[in-house]
């Protein structure tokens, strides 16, 4: 899987700014609109998940498919 060491510097910096003390549970890498997106889940934070583009920009949670 993807680890914190695999993240681009901009993504690490963004994580430090948004959730400095959060414990990362998992990092999932995916593509969205031709961009690389990291879905980072946290254990001990009010923020359960953050979606970060590879340039460090925080994205809104992706829309779930409507049934």
């Amino acid at each position: 899987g993807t680890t914190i060491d695999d993240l681009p510097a901009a993504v690490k910096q963004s994580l430090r700014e948004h959730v400095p003390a959060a414990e990362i549970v998992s990092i999932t890498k995916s593509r969205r609109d031709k961009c690389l997106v990291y879905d980072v889940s946290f254990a001990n934070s009010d923020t359960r998940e953050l979606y970060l583009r590879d340039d460090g920009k925080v994205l809104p949670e992706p829309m779930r498919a409507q049934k």
Side-chain angles (χ1 to χ4, degrees), residues 43-54:
N44 58 346
S45 173
D46 292 337
T47 306
R48 303 300 300 163
E49 248 176 321
L50 267 185
Y51 296 88
L52 296 152
R53 216 167 53 191
D54 58 1

Side-chain angles (χ1 to χ4, degrees), residues 11 21 25 27 37 41 44 46 48 53 55 65:
V11 174
V25 175
I27 302 171
V37 176
S41 299
N44 58 346
D46 292 337
R48 303 300 300 163
R53 216 167 53 191
D55 63 1

Side-chain angles (χ1 to χ4, degrees), residues 4-53:
I4 189 99
D5 295 331
D6 300 326
L7 300 177
V11 174
K12 289 185 205 176
Q13 180 62 36
S14 195
L15 282 173
R16 278 194 292 271
E17 289 170 11
H18 288 87
V19 284
E23 180 185 339
I24 295 174
V25 175
S26 68
I27 302 171
T28 308
K29 199 165 36 170
S30 61
R31 289 211 160 274
R32 193 195 305 180
D33 300 327
K34 298 188 180 76
C35 292
L36 197 53
V37 176
Y38 297 92
D39 170 7
V40 186
S41 299
F42 307 101
N44 58 346
S45 173
D46 292 337
T47 306
R48 303 300 300 163
E49 248 176 321
L50 267 185
Y51 296 88
L52 296 152
R53 216 167 53 191

